[in-house]
Structures are given as structure tokens and as C-alpha cells.
Amino acid sequence: MAQLDTRAKLEILADAAKYDASCASSGSVKRTSRDGKGIGSTDSGMGICHAYAPDGRCISLLKILLTNSCIFDCHYCINRKSSNVRRARFTTDEVVRLTLSFYRRNYIEGLFLSSGIIGSSNYTMEQIVEVARSLREDHEFRGYIHLKTIPDADPELIHQAGLHADRISINVELPTASGLKRLAPEKSQDRIEDAMAGMSDAILDTADAKKHYRSAPRFAPAGQSTQMIVGADAATDRDIVSRAAGLYGSFNLKRVYYSAFSPIPDASAVLPLQRPPLMREHRLYQSDWLMRFYGFKPGEVADAADDNGMMRLDIDPKLAWALKFRGAFPVDVNTGPREMLLRVPGLGTRAVDKIVAARRGRRLTLADIGRLTVSLAKVRPFLIASDWRPVALADKADLQLPKPAAKQMELFG
Amino acid sequence: MRVIALDAEDDFDGWREGVRAAVQDHVAPERIVWRVGDQPGELFGSEAPATASAANFTVPRAFVDLARKAILHTDRERFALLHTLLVRPGLLDDAADPLVRRVEGLAREVRRDIHKMRAFVRFREVVEPDGARFVAWFEPDFHIVRANAGFFMDRFAAMRWSILTPEVSIHWDGATLAEGPGATKAEAPDGDPVEAMWQSYYAAIFNPARLKVGMMLKEMPRKYWKNMPETALVPQLIAGAQAREAGMVETARTKAGGNIEAAWAALREESMSCTRCPLHEHATQTVFGEGPVDAAMMFVGEQPGDQEDLAGRPFVGPAGQVFDRALTEAGIDRGTIYVTNAVKHFKFEQRGKRRIHAKPDAGEITACRWWIEQERALLRPKRTVALGATAARSLFGKAVTISRERGRALELPGGGEAWITVHPSYLLRLPDPVARTEEYARFVADLKSAAHT
């Protein structure tokens, strides 16, 4: 077989990575290279999106696979053993050089490295760790590194990965155990969760050690995340939300990513061939935010779903919840508790903070609220202000809800 | 009028000193003219006297942070706005106040510009006698370049680099930061061999099945495109996306791979634990479809009845017997067709000891569509026959009038043709024997046309 040059490999191995939804480079520790050795910096807050692809996604990291060869045969995966895609494999050194030369030109925040499984889980994991080790130790690279860990790899290798990486992750793949069994017969929910539990323990242990010894090594300071594929198994939105809540609770996850299953070339016969339900994916992210930022309990988010356990596609879950529990509204902006203001559709966490600060000094009018939110029309029916009281919500059965875009329905169907 | 001179557009320290003096001298904001650099002076103005009493007064940290950002804006009123805000009691407490909003708006635009500069600066490597230098050309909206230099020093301290902008240029030699005059794009290098690699990456990481151009434009407005190598590809990526996606779907099933049998078995097994709608709570079991997976025809009924629920197989009760008989008369071998239901759990009302069939509602049909879509995606039958309104609704995703659509082939979303006829249980319920005979014959005729047209 002819040798592929690095650029040809990059095309294959980036293409193979495009189905992974996660791209964040946020939430690590602050590092710089001001000492003049090495290269790179990270911030403890938000990462930087260095470009956006026409699919609207942020490009912040060089997201590639080490190889797209794989001994597994997971049906949803383009790289599965029985797929006839072109195969390529980077050397660890190629990945290191590519990362550094992109980083120096300010194209990226760092590296997100994943891989098909070749040889054995341990061998693959060793190669992934070697890339990160070389970047960190040989080149003093201080940019962001996200490593995808291999479920069956030796815990010691996963530990090594965590010492070099800012974030580590392992994909739960499907929201249901039965879906995983059907679509990824060689993976097991138990093994994946064991690995997550191990990483969670290590993150907590080192965070604890850091309090006592400044020299204690960092372990994945940006935490761990996971991804599940939406729309390839029978799970409803309610199933997915409760699964995500369980994962957040059990394994201290920083993020759960939802990836609408997208048609892949040469797909296994087990899979649907539809366009991905992008709006469904979006609604799931919004549900996720309700739990992480707005104080909703998983059960309450599930309440926002319809009788079949699906989120409405035409309105966001917060509005759906509010319409279902109209009795909780309107909320008085001048006296209502913060937790209730957070439940008002159209009020974000920032707007709520500003309302709470501003109302200490005076009573707020509807016009004041209008200056703090994007859409006054959206919040108005749910609020009482000093000069405003909405007609009872129940009377205006469905308000002026935005009409569902025809396109969105088609995506779902 | 007091004239206060600032060294540059981003001279925060100069503004702070000037404002401090003005506050101590009780000069109102509207009595001050702010002058930057070499702008001509006000005719009747007088330069601010150096205030001897530099007695400090303090302002909240949040205000200083806000002012540091807002001052970098190009809005000519910013110096006065900040001064007005500073002398107002309560300062920033009221976020809904129009002045606070305006100043925060300035700061927000500046922060965004700073962020975009960090994101969209693209260095190009030039080889100089004493080594490599990385040079970028960038056009910020506001006076942010000096304020933003620290970020690039943190990140690229070991590199030698320059960022050229129309207003000012900054140069880092590995130890110190130097400033130079503004530059033009022509002075910046054009091209770097690594850009071709980067473009390859940009094109490959984009998933054409998820085109969302509006989202991209929101975060990466066109004004930045001209100085980024990868954005040159955007038009062709968008134009080619439909074709690429179609290609992905087209080639999706080139190799069926012979795993349909196993896939169907796994799908059936997965369906056994389905809880997508509440019907599973009272039904005995999921009644999945059955028949050969290479069947050319698929028949879709409404839902399992009492006997199907107990047996776990579709079409075994009274309606199933009518169906079998009609199939035989239409010359169709049941062994060659795939038979399934729109809804996979029995819905009933308990009346005494009897379980009376209840019609599934639209929500239940919708919830169950997932399964039938999977069955259809696996088998890809040439013809799908909908038996009754529920089945038709499931296949088409909307209500269909049987009387209007029966007797001819319809195109199914997702491929294949559909035929619509009545459900066999309808024939059982007709009280008039003559009508029953006529309707039965019509049903058989429908099956015949579906099978042989």
C-alpha cells in the first residue's frame, strides 16, 4: 500500500472525527508560557473558538483520530471493522508536529485526540498517552489537551492520560443499555461506567491532594465528559435526560454531549438513514442547561416533555415547563425569589442576577426588564413588574407561541 | 471648558488622571472636552491645570474594570459617559439604567472584539536571518491591540511574533514588547505552507449533514473572513454540502453486509423493553413484526389485539384470520411477506373480565413510529400496505383519508411505494352481510393490486 502523506492522513482522520460533538476547551487551570520555555496557555474560564465550520460548530481544538482502523464493529460508527472507509494511521510524532505547527499559527487551542482501537485497548491507549506525554514533556506544550480514553485500557494508562490531559472522556455512546447492546455489541455499559467511576475518583483524589500539597500532580483539571448518540436507539428525551442526570450525579461529569445521529457513508444496516434530528439535539442541550444552570431537578425537566416523553420541537423546554405549570406564574420581579425568576421563560441567569441587584435600590418596571432581556414579548406573560400585571395565563391558552418552522418538523420525521 | 489631553485613544491612565482632577475641582462632565493625541484644540478651552491635591478617592473595582474596557471603544462620547457614570450615586448598582446599559454595551462590544482578535489572528511564518518570526495582519474594530498584547505574550512567549494592524503594530522578540506605527495588509506576509494543511482540516472536520450557516455567521461574521485562510473554502463547502450528504446517504447501504437478520433480531429484542409511551404498562408484551427480512411487501396493521397480546405475534386473532383468507384469495403467500403493526402494545379498556380494544391516539402512534421506521429502514420493502387509518397515519406522519387514497400507489417519504386499504377488523364489524361481502371483495382487490401492479 502506498504511503499516505501527512495531509492525506489528516483529511481521513479529521473526517473520521467529525461525528464527535464535543469541542470545548474550557474550564481548565490557568497556565502560560511566559517563562519563555515551551509554548501555549490556557485560561480557567472559557476556551476560544478559533473558527466556525459551516455546520455552525466551533473549531477550537485539532480534533483527530490517531487511527480510524478499529477491531470493534459498532454499527453507528463509520470506523467500525466492517466499514469499507479508507484507513489511515498517524504516527505519534506526526500528531505532535501537527498540533504544534497549528498552535503556533494560532489556529487552535490544543488537541483533542481519539482513536479507533488497534492491536489491543492497552496498546491504543499507550499511543494516545505517548502523544500527550511528548507534547507536555518534550515540547513543554501548555495548551489544552483532551484525550478520549479506551474503555478496557489498564487503569494505570488512564491515570497517565489524566496527568497529561486537561480533560478526559469516555463515551457512553447510547442512552440505553439495550441500544448499546444492539449497536455496539463489543462495548458494555458496565465497563464504560467502571472507567468513568475510576476517572471520577482520580479527579476527586487529586483535587483533594492539591489542597494539602502544592506539588501534588494535576489530574484532568477540566474534568471528564461524555457523549451519547441521539436518535439511533429507542430512548425518549425523558429517558435521555434522566440518564444524563444519573451520569452527572454519579461521575461528576463536566458535560454530557448529545450528538444527533448523522447518516454515515457505508452505514450498518441497523441504522436509520434520516437526516439527524438537529432540533431534538438542541432541545436536549437546553434541557441539560435547565439542570446545570437553572436549578431544575431531572424530574422537572422530564415534566416538560409530552406524554410520550419527547420534548416539544416548536418551543424550548423552559417555556414548555412554564406552560404546563402555569400556576407557578406570574412571578413578581420585585419580590419573587431568585429560584423562581430563573424559571421565567426568556430570563437567563445573567438577567436574573441583574434584576436581583437592581431591585435592591428601586422597584423595577416592565421597561427596566425590557432593557435586561432579549425578548420582552416572551417574558411578559410570566412576570409582574411595578407597572405591569399580565392577564391570567390560563386565559391566553397558548399565548403567541412561535409557529414551528416546517423545516424542523421535517428533520424530526 | 476644560480640555483634557489624552496620549492615545486607549489612554486609560490619562483619562483616570483627568477625571480625578475634574472630580476634585468639581468640574461637571459637560464642561470637559477630551482631546486625543494631536487633534486640534478647542478654541475656547484651556488645558487642565495640574492638580496639586492628588488626594485619592476610590471607586468600586467593577467600575474600573468596566471603564478599562469601555475606553477602548471608538465611540467619541465614551470619556464623558464614563465620567458621568462615575460621579453618579449608586454607580453600577442599577443594571437596567439606560446609562449603565449604554456603557456596558460599549464594554461588551470591546470584549467581543478582544475575544475575536484572540481567536482569528492567523500567524504566518517568515524566515529571517536570525530565525523564524510569526507575523499576522488583523483589523480590529476598536482600540484593543495594546490591551490584548498580554494574551499573545502569555501564549507565544518563546516565539518571535508581530501583529500588524492599521492603527498600531506590536512586536515581540522573546523578551520585550515593542510598538510600531500602523501598517497595511501589503506589509504582511501572504501565505504559509501550513495553511494548506489547515484548510484540509477545516474542510474535513465539517459535517455536511448538519449545515447551519446562520450559526456560523453569527460567531464568525464575514468581516473577519478576508484575513483567515480557511474561510476561502466556505462557499464551496456550503455549495457541496447537499451533494455530499446525499452521497453519504447514497453510499450508506452499498454493502448491506448480510447482518440484516442479526440487526432485526437485535431491534426486536430492544423493542421488548420499550417504554416510549404509557401503553407498555398494561400490555402483556411488545408485539413486534414478523416475516422474512428480505420480504418485498410489508403490511402494517393498527395494533395487537387481545390474542396477539397474549401470543406475542401479530395478526393471529379474528382479524388476522380474515387477513389470512384475503391474502390467499389475492394470491399472496403469508410466508413471503412481513407483517407488523403501527403500535406495538395492546391498548384496551377492562370491562369485567374482557379487555376491549381501544383505538391508539396520535401521540401513541407518533411514539411508536420510531420502531416502524427502523423496521422499514432495515427491510426496505418495495411495497408497504397500510391497513387502516392508524397504519396510514403512522407511515405518512399525518392523517390520511382512506377512501380517497385507496387503490393506487403513493410515494412514501424515505422511498418505496405505499398502498392504503381498510383494516380487516373493519370487515368484521360491518353489520350488513351484503356490505360485508362487497367490502371484503374490495379488500381482496386492493391486496391484489398492491401485489401485482
Side-chain angles (χ1 to χ4, degrees), chain A residues 302-334:
Chain A
D303 285 343
D306 66 17
D307 293 343
N308 296 314
M310 302 302 278
M311 296 291 167
R312 287 177 63 170
L313 294 181
D314 53 347
I315 56 174
D316 68 74
K318 200 173 167 189
L319 180 55
W321 188 88
L323 290 175
K324 223 165 172 177
F325 298 94
R326 290 164 195 226
F329 301 94
V331 180
D332 191 325
V333 289
N334 287 302

mmCIF file of all heavy atoms in Angstrom, chain A residues 302-334:
data_model
loop_
_atom_site.group_PDB
_atom_site.id
_atom_site.type_symbol
_atom_site.label_atom_id
_atom_site.label_comp_id
_atom_site.label_asym_id
_atom_site.label_seq_id
_atom_site.Cartn_x
_atom_site.Cartn_y
_atom_site.Cartn_z
ATOM 1 N N ALA A 302 -38.076 16.392 32.952
ATOM 2 C CA ALA A 302 -38.873 15.354 32.307
ATOM 3 C C ALA A 302 -40.342 15.773 32.239
ATOM 4 O O ALA A 302 -41.051 15.442 31.288
ATOM 5 C CB ALA A 302 -38.724 14.032 33.065
ATOM 6 N N ASP A 303 -40.794 16.538 33.238
ATOM 7 C CA ASP A 303 -42.177 17.020 33.221
ATOM 8 C C ASP A 303 -42.453 17.922 32.022
ATOM 9 O O ASP A 303 -43.604 18.078 31.610
ATOM 10 C CB ASP A 303 -42.485 17.826 34.492
ATOM 11 C CG ASP A 303 -42.663 16.914 35.692
ATOM 12 O OD1 ASP A 303 -42.866 15.706 35.477
ATOM 13 O OD2 ASP A 303 -42.599 17.415 36.830
ATOM 14 N N ALA A 304 -41.403 18.559 31.529
ATOM 15 C CA ALA A 304 -41.595 19.459 30.388
ATOM 16 C C ALA A 304 -41.854 18.683 29.105
ATOM 17 O O ALA A 304 -42.306 19.239 28.110
ATOM 18 C CB ALA A 304 -40.380 20.362 30.219
ATOM 19 N N ALA A 305 -41.570 17.382 29.124
ATOM 20 C CA ALA A 305 -41.781 16.565 27.926
ATOM 21 C C ALA A 305 -43.268 16.268 27.755
ATOM 22 O O ALA A 305 -44.056 16.411 28.693
ATOM 23 C CB ALA A 305 -40.985 15.266 28.041
ATOM 24 N N ASP A 306 -43.650 15.845 26.561
ATOM 25 C CA ASP A 306 -45.054 15.499 26.336
ATOM 26 C C ASP A 306 -45.345 14.098 26.886
ATOM 27 O O ASP A 306 -44.476 13.452 27.480
ATOM 28 C CB ASP A 306 -45.411 15.635 24.851
ATOM 29 C CG ASP A 306 -44.673 14.621 23.984
ATOM 30 O OD1 ASP A 306 -44.139 13.621 24.531
ATOM 31 O OD2 ASP A 306 -44.614 14.833 22.762
ATOM 32 N N ASP A 307 -46.562 13.618 26.666
ATOM 33 C CA ASP A 307 -46.949 12.335 27.244
ATOM 34 C C ASP A 307 -46.078 11.180 26.756
ATOM 35 O O ASP A 307 -45.952 10.163 27.414
ATOM 36 C CB ASP A 307 -48.414 12.031 26.905
ATOM 37 C CG ASP A 307 -49.342 13.019 27.597
ATOM 38 O OD1 ASP A 307 -48.875 13.688 28.541
ATOM 39 O OD2 ASP A 307 -50.513 13.123 27.182
ATOM 40 N N ASN A 308 -45.475 11.362 25.597
ATOM 41 C CA ASN A 308 -44.630 10.300 25.071
ATOM 42 C C ASN A 308 -43.176 10.443 25.479
ATOM 43 O O ASN A 308 -42.306 9.741 24.979
ATOM 44 C CB ASN A 308 -44.712 10.273 23.548
ATOM 45 C CG ASN A 308 -46.101 9.929 23.079
ATOM 46 O OD1 ASN A 308 -46.711 8.993 23.592
ATOM 47 N ND2 ASN A 308 -46.607 10.694 22.147
ATOM 48 N N GLY A 309 -42.933 11.394 26.360
ATOM 49 C CA GLY A 309 -41.563 11.539 26.835
ATOM 50 C C GLY A 309 -40.671 12.314 25.889
ATOM 51 O O GLY A 309 -39.452 12.284 26.006
ATOM 52 N N MET A 310 -41.259 13.016 24.922
ATOM 53 C CA MET A 310 -40.440 13.788 23.986
ATOM 54 C C MET A 310 -40.608 15.282 24.250
ATOM 55 O O MET A 310 -41.694 15.752 24.546
ATOM 56 C CB MET A 310 -40.851 13.483 22.539
ATOM 57 C CG MET A 310 -40.736 12.013 22.161
ATOM 58 S SD MET A 310 -39.065 11.344 22.357
ATOM 59 C CE MET A 310 -38.321 11.901 20.819
ATOM 60 N N MET A 311 -39.496 16.019 24.104
ATOM 61 C CA MET A 311 -39.557 17.465 24.223
ATOM 62 C C MET A 311 -40.282 18.030 23.003
ATOM 63 O O MET A 311 -40.124 17.506 21.894
ATOM 64 C CB MET A 311 -38.144 18.069 24.242
ATOM 65 C CG MET A 311 -37.321 17.653 25.416
ATOM 66 S SD MET A 311 -37.982 18.366 26.920
ATOM 67 C CE MET A 311 -37.082 17.392 28.117
ATOM 68 N N ARG A 312 -41.000 19.114 23.217
ATOM 69 C CA ARG A 312 -41.635 19.747 22.065
ATOM 70 C C ARG A 312 -40.572 20.373 21.187
ATOM 71 O O ARG A 312 -39.622 20.963 21.678
ATOM 72 C CB ARG A 312 -42.627 20.806 22.537
ATOM 73 C CG ARG A 312 -43.872 20.193 23.129
ATOM 74 C CD ARG A 312 -44.809 21.235 23.659
ATOM 75 N NE ARG A 312 -45.292 22.123 22.586
ATOM 76 C CZ ARG A 312 -46.276 22.995 22.773
ATOM 77 N NH1 ARG A 312 -46.863 23.089 23.952
ATOM 78 N NH2 ARG A 312 -46.668 23.763 21.780
ATOM 79 N N LEU A 313 -40.754 20.238 19.887
ATOM 80 C CA LEU A 313 -39.754 20.801 18.986
ATOM 81 C C LEU A 313 -40.020 22.271 18.714
ATOM 82 O O LEU A 313 -39.123 23.021 18.371
ATOM 83 C CB LEU A 313 -39.743 20.034 17.664
ATOM 84 C CG LEU A 313 -39.294 18.591 17.758
ATOM 85 C CD1 LEU A 313 -39.305 17.946 16.389
ATOM 86 C CD2 LEU A 313 -37.898 18.484 18.358
ATOM 87 N N ASP A 314 -41.288 22.675 18.872
ATOM 88 C CA ASP A 314 -41.630 24.051 18.484
ATOM 89 C C ASP A 314 -41.296 25.071 19.564
ATOM 90 O O ASP A 314 -41.129 26.241 19.263
ATOM 91 C CB ASP A 314 -43.105 24.144 18.088
ATOM 92 C CG ASP A 314 -44.045 23.592 19.155
ATOM 93 O OD1 ASP A 314 -43.543 22.915 20.090
ATOM 94 O OD2 ASP A 314 -45.249 23.837 19.078
ATOM 95 N N ILE A 315 -41.228 24.659 20.816
ATOM 96 C CA ILE A 315 -40.884 25.619 21.873
ATOM 97 C C ILE A 315 -39.812 25.024 22.776
ATOM 98 O O ILE A 315 -39.655 23.809 22.851
ATOM 99 C CB ILE A 315 -42.118 25.993 22.737
ATOM 100 C CG1 ILE A 315 -42.761 24.733 23.320
ATOM 101 C CG2 ILE A 315 -43.126 26.794 21.927
ATOM 102 C CD1 ILE A 315 -43.883 25.039 24.291
ATOM 103 N N ASP A 316 -39.074 25.898 23.463
ATOM 104 C CA ASP A 316 -37.979 25.385 24.271
ATOM 105 C C ASP A 316 -38.519 24.771 25.572
ATOM 106 O O ASP A 316 -39.631 25.074 25.990
ATOM 107 C CB ASP A 316 -36.944 26.482 24.525
ATOM 108 C CG ASP A 316 -37.484 27.574 25.413
ATOM 109 O OD1 ASP A 316 -37.624 27.345 26.629
ATOM 110 O OD2 ASP A 316 -37.791 28.662 24.887
ATOM 111 N N PRO A 317 -37.741 23.902 26.199
ATOM 112 C CA PRO A 317 -38.262 23.159 27.347
ATOM 113 C C PRO A 317 -38.642 24.032 28.542
ATOM 114 O O PRO A 317 -39.530 23.675 29.313
ATOM 115 C CB PRO A 317 -37.129 22.186 27.704
ATOM 116 C CG PRO A 317 -35.946 22.615 26.932
ATOM 117 C CD PRO A 317 -36.417 23.432 25.782
ATOM 118 N N LYS A 318 -37.989 25.180 28.671
ATOM 119 C CA LYS A 318 -38.317 26.040 29.799
ATOM 120 C C LYS A 318 -39.727 26.624 29.609
ATOM 121 O O LYS A 318 -40.527 26.682 30.545
ATOM 122 C CB LYS A 318 -37.300 27.169 29.879
ATOM 123 C CG LYS A 318 -37.224 27.828 31.229
ATOM 124 C CD LYS A 318 -36.060 28.800 31.222
ATOM 125 C CE LYS A 318 -36.076 29.718 32.394
ATOM 126 N NZ LYS A 318 -35.079 30.782 32.247
ATOM 127 N N LEU A 319 -40.013 27.027 28.384
ATOM 128 C CA LEU A 319 -41.349 27.534 28.081
ATOM 129 C C LEU A 319 -42.370 26.409 28.207
ATOM 130 O O LEU A 319 -43.471 26.602 28.747
ATOM 131 C CB LEU A 319 -41.363 28.140 26.669
ATOM 132 C CG LEU A 319 -42.681 28.739 26.166
ATOM 133 C CD1 LEU A 319 -43.197 29.800 27.130
ATOM 134 C CD2 LEU A 319 -42.499 29.342 24.778
ATOM 135 N N ALA A 320 -41.996 25.227 27.754
ATOM 136 C CA ALA A 320 -42.915 24.090 27.849
ATOM 137 C C ALA A 320 -43.257 23.807 29.318
ATOM 138 O O ALA A 320 -44.406 23.550 29.666
ATOM 139 C CB ALA A 320 -42.289 22.857 27.200
ATOM 140 N N TRP A 321 -42.246 23.888 30.170
ATOM 141 C CA TRP A 321 -42.463 23.649 31.597
ATOM 142 C C TRP A 321 -43.395 24.726 32.164
ATOM 143 O O TRP A 321 -44.343 24.438 32.881
ATOM 144 C CB TRP A 321 -41.135 23.631 32.354
ATOM 145 C CG TRP A 321 -41.276 23.199 33.781
ATOM 146 C CD1 TRP A 321 -41.239 21.918 34.258
ATOM 147 C CD2 TRP A 321 -41.504 24.053 34.923
ATOM 148 N NE1 TRP A 321 -41.431 21.920 35.611
ATOM 149 C CE2 TRP A 321 -41.596 23.211 36.055
ATOM 150 C CE3 TRP A 321 -41.641 25.430 35.090
ATOM 151 C CZ2 TRP A 321 -41.813 23.698 37.335
ATOM 152 C CZ3 TRP A 321 -41.860 25.933 36.370
ATOM 153 C CH2 TRP A 321 -41.937 25.057 37.479
ATOM 154 N N ALA A 322 -43.118 25.974 31.791
ATOM 155 C CA ALA A 322 -43.911 27.081 32.314
ATOM 156 C C ALA A 322 -45.365 26.975 31.874
ATOM 157 O O ALA A 322 -46.289 27.246 32.659
ATOM 158 C CB ALA A 322 -43.314 28.413 31.855
ATOM 159 N N LEU A 323 -45.590 26.545 30.659
ATOM 160 C CA LEU A 323 -46.967 26.419 30.176
ATOM 161 C C LEU A 323 -47.684 25.277 30.886
ATOM 162 O O LEU A 323 -48.882 25.315 31.106
ATOM 163 C CB LEU A 323 -46.982 26.182 28.664
ATOM 164 C CG LEU A 323 -46.560 27.376 27.814
ATOM 165 C CD1 LEU A 323 -46.498 27.005 26.343
ATOM 166 C CD2 LEU A 323 -47.518 28.544 28.017
ATOM 167 N N LYS A 324 -46.910 24.277 31.253
ATOM 168 C CA LYS A 324 -47.504 23.131 31.936
ATOM 169 C C LYS A 324 -47.805 23.457 33.402
ATOM 170 O O LYS A 324 -48.744 22.938 33.975
ATOM 171 C CB LYS A 324 -46.543 21.949 31.841
ATOM 172 C CG LYS A 324 -47.245 20.649 31.526
ATOM 173 C CD LYS A 324 -46.237 19.624 31.085
ATOM 174 C CE LYS A 324 -46.879 18.263 30.955
ATOM 175 N NZ LYS A 324 -45.928 17.272 30.455
ATOM 176 N N PHE A 325 -46.980 24.294 33.988
ATOM 177 C CA PHE A 325 -47.164 24.642 35.400
ATOM 178 C C PHE A 325 -47.479 26.127 35.523
ATOM 179 O O PHE A 325 -46.764 26.880 36.170
ATOM 180 C CB PHE A 325 -45.923 24.244 36.196
ATOM 181 C CG PHE A 325 -45.672 22.767 36.160
ATOM 182 C CD1 PHE A 325 -44.816 22.223 35.224
ATOM 183 C CD2 PHE A 325 -46.348 21.907 37.024
ATOM 184 C CE1 PHE A 325 -44.616 20.853 35.151
ATOM 185 C CE2 PHE A 325 -46.151 20.532 36.950
ATOM 186 C CZ PHE A 325 -45.278 20.003 36.009
ATOM 187 N N ARG A 326 -48.564 26.495 34.887
ATOM 188 C CA ARG A 326 -48.936 27.914 34.841
ATOM 189 C C ARG A 326 -49.189 28.486 36.226
ATOM 190 O O ARG A 326 -49.033 29.679 36.451
ATOM 191 C CB ARG A 326 -50.208 28.083 34.007
ATOM 192 C CG ARG A 326 -49.936 27.821 32.554
ATOM 193 C CD ARG A 326 -51.220 27.593 31.787
ATOM 194 N NE ARG A 326 -50.887 27.008 30.496
ATOM 195 C CZ ARG A 326 -51.396 27.396 29.333
ATOM 196 N NH1 ARG A 326 -52.293 28.350 29.312
ATOM 197 N NH2 ARG A 326 -51.024 26.834 28.222
ATOM 198 N N GLY A 327 -49.577 27.619 37.147
ATOM 199 C CA GLY A 327 -49.885 28.093 38.492
ATOM 200 C C GLY A 327 -48.704 28.771 39.161
ATOM 201 O O GLY A 327 -48.869 29.585 40.070
ATOM 202 N N ALA A 328 -47.488 28.421 38.734
ATOM 203 C CA ALA A 328 -46.298 28.997 39.360
ATOM 204 C C ALA A 328 -46.049 30.431 38.899
ATOM 205 O O ALA A 328 -45.175 31.114 39.418
ATOM 206 C CB ALA A 328 -45.075 28.129 39.031
ATOM 207 N N PHE A 329 -46.835 30.898 37.921
ATOM 208 C CA PHE A 329 -46.608 32.227 37.348
ATOM 209 C C PHE A 329 -47.864 33.081 37.497
ATOM 210 O O PHE A 329 -48.943 32.546 37.715
ATOM 211 C CB PHE A 329 -46.235 32.088 35.862
ATOM 212 C CG PHE A 329 -45.002 31.256 35.658
ATOM 213 C CD1 PHE A 329 -45.111 29.894 35.401
ATOM 214 C CD2 PHE A 329 -43.748 31.819 35.772
ATOM 215 C CE1 PHE A 329 -43.967 29.118 35.241
ATOM 216 C CE2 PHE A 329 -42.606 31.046 35.601
ATOM 217 C CZ PHE A 329 -42.725 29.686 35.344
ATOM 218 N N PRO A 330 -47.791 34.377 37.357
ATOM 219 C CA PRO A 330 -46.588 35.169 37.104
ATOM 220 C C PRO A 330 -45.726 35.341 38.356
ATOM 221 O O PRO A 330 -46.216 35.225 39.474
ATOM 222 C CB PRO A 330 -47.156 36.505 36.649
ATOM 223 C CG PRO A 330 -48.495 36.595 37.305
ATOM 224 C CD PRO A 330 -49.021 35.197 37.375
ATOM 225 N N VAL A 331 -44.456 35.609 38.135
ATOM 226 C CA VAL A 331 -43.511 35.857 39.218
ATOM 227 C C VAL A 331 -43.291 37.375 39.311
ATOM 228 O O VAL A 331 -43.136 38.029 38.284
ATOM 229 C CB VAL A 331 -42.159 35.171 38.929
ATOM 230 C CG1 VAL A 331 -41.177 35.430 40.057
ATOM 231 C CG2 VAL A 331 -42.355 33.687 38.716
ATOM 232 N N ASP A 332 -43.287 37.884 40.531
ATOM 233 C CA ASP A 332 -43.078 39.326 40.714
ATOM 234 C C ASP A 332 -41.581 39.626 40.677
ATOM 235 O O ASP A 332 -40.826 39.128 41.517
ATOM 236 C CB ASP A 332 -43.690 39.772 42.046
ATOM 237 C CG ASP A 332 -43.738 41.300 42.161
ATOM 238 O OD1 ASP A 332 -42.806 41.953 41.643
ATOM 239 O OD2 ASP A 332 -44.689 41.815 42.767
ATOM 240 N N VAL A 333 -41.152 40.429 39.724
ATOM 241 C CA VAL A 333 -39.713 40.712 39.597
ATOM 242 C C VAL A 333 -39.172 41.472 40.799
ATOM 243 O O VAL A 333 -37.976 41.421 41.077
ATOM 244 C CB VAL A 333 -39.351 41.525 38.333
ATOM 245 C CG1 VAL A 333 -39.513 40.691 37.101
ATOM 246 C CG2 VAL A 333 -40.154 42.792 38.243
ATOM 247 N N ASN A 334 -40.044 42.151 41.512
ATOM 248 C CA ASN A 334 -39.570 42.945 42.638
ATOM 249 C C ASN A 334 -39.526 42.177 43.953
ATOM 250 O O ASN A 334 -38.857 42.603 44.888
ATOM 251 C CB ASN A 334 -40.427 44.207 42.785
ATOM 252 C CG ASN A 334 -40.109 45.212 41.679
ATOM 253 O OD1 ASN A 334 -38.966 45.634 41.544
ATOM 254 N ND2 ASN A 334 -41.110 45.546 40.884
#
